Amino acid sequence: MTSFTPPFEIHVHGDILLRDDVDYKTLQETLKPLWKYTGAKTLLEAAPSFYEDEPGIRFDAKEHLLQLCWSVEGDEDFRHALDEVCMGLNEIAASGAALEVSFYDLEFDEEEAPPEAEARDDFLLLFVGPNPAAIMQVQRDLLVQDVVHLMERHFDGSELGEVVGAIDKLFTGRFDDLISSMQLGRPPRGSNGPAGGHGGPRKPRHLH
């Protein structure tokens, strides 16, 4: 981690169901890029969030669940740590899951900045899972949720069956193409997801 004042506040949020055989030692090794980024010597040391009211990084051994609601200050190089962690989580995840990662520009002052200035805020939606099918399933579910939520402003939910069917068809075609080409790397495996642009109003710091 760099010695100067980090330009971003970064928040990582998501729940990931892990395989039954995954223990704390395995999880600590998988998340090593995150806790080493903070300068910590163990996961336990880095687990608390920058904000006391956030749970931080938690492992529910009984439910085999990794829970992330964790903020840290950092730079653009944090993305490299995320890439490594996503690849590691692919190996221990029991099902597909999404991670929300928000970058909040600490150097941008909305009150003092000129009207044309824009914050370097960014938002990433990353996907992990044991296989491409699991990742595509969670991608599909999130897309259906977003589209239905948007269209229910104008249509009754019962009218949207064809829309959901069209989304399913698109994902079925993508999965078939993936299997036939045998290209099982990224995308969609690992950290490929839509990134928010820098325009428009600033996103909230914590997206729960």
Side-chain angles (χ1 to χ4, degrees):
M1 207 164 170
T2 52
S3 57
F4 60 87
T5 302
F8 294 103
E9 175 186 297
I10 305 164
H11 184 70
V12 184
H13 191 90
D15 294 341
I16 303 171
L17 185 64
L18 306 178
R19 299 196 320 259
D20 292 350
D21 62 327
V22 176
D23 56 16
Y24 188 84
K25 182 179 179 180
T26 301
L27 182 62
Q28 176 168 252
E29 184 63 28
T30 300
L31 298 183
K32 190 173 183 178
L34 289 188
W35 54 263
K36 285 202 69 175
Y37 187 86
T38 69
K41 296 182 179 179
T42 64
L43 174 58
L44 183 63
E45 182 182 343
S49 177
F50 183 78
Y51 292 99
E52 294 182 357
D53 60 341
E54 293 178 350
I57 302 175
R58 289 185 175 181
F59 176 46
D60 187 330
K62 183 178 179 180
E63 299 295 331
H64 306 288
L65 185 67
L66 169 62
Q67 298 173 300
L68 293 160
C69 183
W70 183 71
S71 294
V72 64
E73 290 189 344
D75 207 335
E76 286 285 354
D77 56 358
F78 186 76
R79 297 172 188 266
H80 298 301
L82 285 173
D83 285 341
E84 292 183 47
V85 166
C86 284
M87 295 304 292
L89 288 173
N90 286 336
E91 302 301 323
I92 65 174
S95 60
L99 286 177
E100 298 175 341
V101 184
S102 55
F103 286 75
Y104 190 86
D105 188 352
L106 294 175
E107 298 176 343
F108 183 80
D109 189 318
E110 290 181 286
E111 296 183 358
E112 297 183 2
E116 68 277 8
E118 295 182 347
R120 294 176 298 160
D121 295 357
D122 200 1
F123 176 72
L124 306 176
L125 188 57
L126 311 179
F127 297 95
V128 298
N131 52 59
I135 291 175
M136 285 189 180
Q137 182 63 50
V138 72
Q139 288 178 320
R140 175 266 178 201
D141 291 346
L142 284 175
L143 180 57
V144 167
Q145 178 182 322
D146 289 344
V147 170
V148 169
H149 178 72
L150 177 63
M151 295 191 69
E152 279 183 337
R153 300 176 186 175
H154 310 282
F155 301 93
D156 186 85
S158 61
E159 300 178 83
L160 302 178
E162 291 185 8
V163 175
V164 174
I167 293 173
D168 285 337
K169 185 177 180 180
L170 287 171
F171 274 96
T172 298
R174 174 182 288 185
F175 182 71
D176 290 344
D177 291 343
L178 184 67
I179 295 301
S180 64
S181 66
M182 298 303 291
Q183 294 178 353
L184 302 182
R186 292 176 5 190
R189 189 173 176 83
S191 55
N192 71 301
H198 301 304
R202 304 190 75 184
K203 296 180 181 296
R205 293 194 180 197
H206 306 125
L207 302 171
H208 297 293

